[in-house]
Each structure stands twice: as structure tokens, then as C-alpha cells.
């Protein structure tokens, strides 16, 4: 038996590899604190349990769900976009329910690109964009996100021949792993670039509500003009601490979403309806803004603690205003060696920046999604580390 070339030639998924490293060190008796993955450690709002339980008890809920997402779920996503972003969406044509944004991003790539196409992906980035572009036969072309450009891609630097082949521009703001934010002016430029080159502009907004300070950032769709091929991915994972539920939505241009829906109809059968109904209740409940604010406050305190420890160790990270991450440059630019030495000498695991792409080299990413006591211990260990 031989696996397909697309899998044989694929790099290992970085976070699966990190999980394995942690498991094997723990098996050797090491007390490892992982600041690797971003996966909220505190519970979802109490209402999540109540809703899920009550929907799960209805017999009719155990049949196949609607392919495009339950109507009530799509309506709740549209209502949320109106309340949170001031964006009006038609739940029938402009919202598709997803089994997490990872699933949606993957299927969107398959719906949009093929052999010979280019996909413009940020670098560093969530590895799924490039992996799925490659699986679908296209070439992912990295757009470096550099500190000097506030981690925004330089769209003017995309060579004309690449722009001509490109079918998709992927953005991710609030950005992981750099924690950068994009403003309306950048979104307008990206949409104009999409119009000029006839490509789909996608914003992965998984961290839209993980905002540690300052104003809540806008949606890409708030700047789209009629006819723009713009799509955004919104996820409940990090807003409501339900990463395991697998619940998200793609919203925006109907022509693009038609392709995504067709891809999904042939691949999956949608998310379990009680999860969608419980998710709809969370999105519609404006009083849960207080839950989100409280969780963000908790993250801000953790961020400040981690920033202090990194500074005490002689490192110089810039202050993240959003996401679950601190993106920290390492002194001699060798992020892999730094992460290895930090792990060996202190038992603290961080992700080397190059796991997110070549332009991530020289940085490490530290996640804030670990319980307070573990983070405090990790901070003590980091503060006494000599980089
Ligand atoms: C940038 C980014 N996009 C998407 C996702 C996946 O989100 P979901 O849980 O909705 O699949 C993650 C998960 O960590 C992420 O970091």
C-alpha cells in the first residue's frame, strides 16, 4: 500500500507533532507546561450546557442535519453579524454553517482552486490554508507578515504574473500567530486588490472576539462593495470556549458560498443539530457579551504576567492586543534552537515560529490558554531562563 503523494509529501501537522512531544516528555516523568496550542482552558458560558442538554433530549434532533446549517443557526449568525459588526447578511444566501472553520477553509479551497492556480497565503499563518491549497493542486504563495509592516501583507509586492494566477487571497485578522490587527483601510485595499485581480478575498476571523484591549476590530465584510467576492469565517470556538463543539460559519459572497455548499454536500452532512441550536442561543444572547469581556479580562491579566516574565528573561515581545498569543522574537534568530533549549532546560513548550511558515523564523509563539496556576509556574521558569 502506498499513500497518495499529497499526503506522502505533506509536512507533519505542527500541532499534532507538538502534542506528541509533550506526551513523550510527560511519559518520561518531566513536568512539561505546554504554551503550544491555543485552546481555551476555562468553561463555556453556563447557558451552553443548558441549551445543549435540552436540544439533545429531543428525538427529532438525532436525524441528519441540514447541509448548509440549520435555518435557526444561520439566522443567529446573521443577527450576530448585525449586532457585532453592523453587517447585514441574508441567512439563506450569505451564511453557511460549518463543522468548525478548519473544515470550511479546507472545503472552500477545494471549491475554488485547481492545478495551475496560485493562492496567496499569509506567512506566518495557520498551516491549513497552504496545506489545503496544495491538496487541491494549487500553489500556495506566501506573503510575508513582517513587524516593520505591522504584520500586514504588502499587496503591492505581489508579482504581476503571480497575481494573474491567484484565485484567492487569504487574510487572518485578528491575526494568529502574530496577534496583529487590521483596520478598515487595509481591508479596503485588500478588497480593491481582489477586484483588480478577480480573486476571492477570504478573512479568517476566528479571533474576532478575543480582544484584550482597545476597540473591537471590524469585519472584512463591513468594507465590501456589492459584487465583491469577499468571504469571512467566524468561529464560536474561541469566543465561547467551545473548540470541541466544531461550530463556525462562512459568510459573504453568495457565488463563493454556493461553491462551498456544493463541496460540503458531497463531503459531509453538517454539524449535529443540537450543537447548532445551542450555538444559535449563545450568538443571540447579548448578555453573553459580559462573559466574553470577563474571559478577555482574564487573558489580559495572563498576557501581562507573561510579558513581564519574557522581559525579565531579556526578551522583547510586542504587546498583543488580541488573540490568545504572544509572538516573541528570539535573540539570535534561531527559533527552533530557542524552543528546544527552553523545553529542555525549563520544561516549558512554545511553538517555533517556523512551524507557521518561513517568515515565522526568528519568533516563537506562546499561548495564553493554560490555567492560571500553570501559567504562573511557566512564567517563573521563563523569567529565570537565560536566552
Ligand atoms: C487562525 C485560526 N483559524 C482557524 C482556526 C480553527 O478554528 P475552528 O475551531 O473554528 O476550526 C484556528 C484554531 O486554532 C486558528 O488559529
Amino acid at each position: 500500500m502506498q499513500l497518495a503523494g499529497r499526503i506522502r509529501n505533506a509536512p507533519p501537522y505542527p500541532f499534532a507533532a507538538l502534542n506528541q512531544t509533550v506526551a513523550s516528555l510527560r511519559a518520561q516523568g518531566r513536568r512539561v507546561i505546554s504554551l503550544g496550542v491555543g485552546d481555551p482552558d476555562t468553561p463555556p458560558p453556563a447557558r451552553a450546557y443548558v441549551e445543549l442538554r435540552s436540544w439533545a433530549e429531543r428525538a427529532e434532533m438525532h436525524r441528519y442535519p441540514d447541509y448548509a446549517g440549520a435555518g435557526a443557526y444561520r439566522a443567529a449568525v446573521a443577527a450576530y453579524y448585525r449586532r457585532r459588526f453592523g453587517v447585514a447578511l441574508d441567512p439563506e444566501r450569505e451564511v453557511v454553517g460549518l463543522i468548525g472553520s478548519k473544515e470550511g477553509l479546507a472545503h472552500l479551497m477545494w471549491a475554488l482552486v485547481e492545478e495551475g492556480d496560485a493562492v496567496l497565503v499569509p506567512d506566518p499563518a495557520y498551516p491549513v490554508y497552504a496545506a489545503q491549497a496544495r491538496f487541491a493542486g494549487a500553489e500556495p504563495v506566501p506573503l510575508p507578515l513582517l513587524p516593520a509592516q505591522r504584520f500586514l501583507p504588502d499587496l503591492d509586492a505581489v508579482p504581476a504574473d503571480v497575481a494573474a494566477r491567484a484565485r484567492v487571497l487569504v487574510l487572518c485578522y485578528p491575526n494568529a500567530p502574530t496577534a496583529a490587527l487590521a483596520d478598515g483601510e487595509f481591508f479596503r485595499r485588500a478588497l480593491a486588490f481582489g477586484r483588480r485581480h478577480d480573486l476571492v478575498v477570504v478573512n479568517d476571523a476566528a479571533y474576532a472576539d478575543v480582544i484584550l484591549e482597545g476597540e473591537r476590530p471590524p469585519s472584512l465584510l463591513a468594507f465590501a462593495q456589492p459584487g465583491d467576492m469577499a468571504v469571512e469565517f467566524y468561529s464560536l470556538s474561541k469566543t465561547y470556549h467551545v473548540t470541541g463543539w466544531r461550530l463556525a460559519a462562512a459568510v459573504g459572497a453568495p457565488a463563493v458560498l454556493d461553491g462551498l455548499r456544493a463541496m460540503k454536500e458531497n463531503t459531509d452532512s453538517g454539524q449535529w443539530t443540537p450543537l447548532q441550536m445551542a450555538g444559535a442561543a449563545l450568538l443571540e444572547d447579548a448578555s453573553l457579551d459580559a462573559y466574553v469581556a470577563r474571559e478577555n479580562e482574564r487573558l489580559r491579566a495572563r498576557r501581562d504576567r507573561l510579558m513581564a516574565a519574557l522581559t525579565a528573561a531579556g526578551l522583547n515581545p510586542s504587546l498583543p492586543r488580541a488573540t490568545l498569543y504572544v509572538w516573541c522574537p528570539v535573540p539570535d534568530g534561531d527559533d527552533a534552537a530557542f524552543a528546544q533549549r527552553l523545553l529542555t532546560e525549563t520544561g516549558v513548550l512554545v511553538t517555533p515560529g517556523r512551524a507557521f511558515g518561513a517568515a515565522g523564523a526568528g519568533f516563537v509563539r506562546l499561548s495564553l490558554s493554560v490555567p492560571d496556576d500553570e501559567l504562573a509556574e511557566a512564567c517563573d521558569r521563563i523569567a529565570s531562563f537565560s536566552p
Side-chain angles (χ1 to χ4, degrees), residues 40 42-46 48-49 80 83-84 206 209-210 216 234-243 245 247 278-289 291-292 295:
T42 51
Y49 299 91
Y80 188 79
R83 180 163 71 78
R84 162 71 178 86
D209 289 319
V210 187
R216 298 203 290 176
Y234 181 81
S235 174
L236 278 73
S237 286
K238 316 275 159 109
T239 305
Y240 300 110
H241 297 199
V242 289
T243 49
W245 282 23
L247 203 51
L282 301 183
L283 288 169
E284 279 170 349
D285 187 347
S287 77
L288 291 181
D289 287 357
Y291 165 88
V292 174
E295 291 303 322

Side-chain angles (χ1 to χ4, degrees), residues 100-102 126 129 172 176 204 206-207 235 237-238 246:
S101 35
K102 187 178 192 180
Y126 187 48
Y129 318 138
C172 172
D204 174 2
Y207 295 93
S235 174
S237 286
K238 316 275 159 109
R246 318 307 305 126

Side-chain angles (χ1 to χ4, degrees), residues 135-346:
F135 284 166
E139 179 198 359
V141 177
L143 303 184
L145 306 184
L146 306 173
Q149 291 153 359
R150 293 181 296 126
F151 299 109
L152 299 170
D154 180 0
L155 299 174
D156 296 331
V158 178
D161 62 315
V162 173
R165 277 191 302 124
R167 307 282 310 280
V168 184
L169 165 65
V170 181
L171 305 171
C172 172
Y173 292 100
N175 185 259
T178 71
L181 292 167
D183 55 14
E185 193 216 317
F186 173 75
F187 280 149
R188 276 198 194 94
R189 269 192 284 131
L191 290 163
F193 181 86
R195 240 170 270 136
R196 201 157 55 245
H197 298 289
D198 189 23
L199 47 78
V200 176
V201 181
V202 175
N203 186 44
D204 174 2
Y207 295 93
D209 289 319
V210 187
I211 306 303
L212 311 187
E213 63 186 58
E215 275 181 31
R216 298 203 290 176
S219 158
L220 170 72
L221 298 185
F223 306 94
Q225 297 177 6
D228 275 353
M229 292 297 124
V231 172
E232 191 158 77
F233 285 80
Y234 181 81
S235 174
L236 278 73
S237 286
K238 316 275 159 109
T239 305
Y240 300 110
H241 297 199
V242 289
T243 49
W245 282 23
R246 318 307 305 126
L247 203 51
V251 299
V256 178
L257 296 188
D258 285 348
L260 173 60
R261 211 180 286 111
M263 199 68 225
K264 282 175 61 59
E265 283 164 5
N266 284 283
T267 313
D268 64 63
S269 300
Q271 183 50 281
W272 189 40
T273 310
L275 287 166
Q276 296 189 55
M277 299 308 284
L282 301 183
L283 288 169
E284 279 170 349
D285 187 347
S287 77
L288 291 181
D289 287 357
Y291 165 88
V292 174
R294 224 174 23 250
E295 291 303 322
N296 286 341
E297 181 65 42
R298 184 201 307 277
L299 288 172
R300 180 161 68 227
R302 290 180 183 176
R303 174 202 69 180
D304 291 344
R305 182 166 217 160
L306 184 55
M307 291 293 289
L310 291 165
T311 307
L315 298 164
N316 190 21
S318 51
L319 187 74
R321 281 182 44 215
T323 78
L324 297 172
Y325 310 110
V326 174
W327 184 240
C328 182
V330 299
D332 64 3
D334 189 344
D335 49 302
F338 176 95
Q340 190 56 52
R341 209 157 65 72
L342 185 70
L343 181 61
T344 314
E345 292 179 23
T346 72

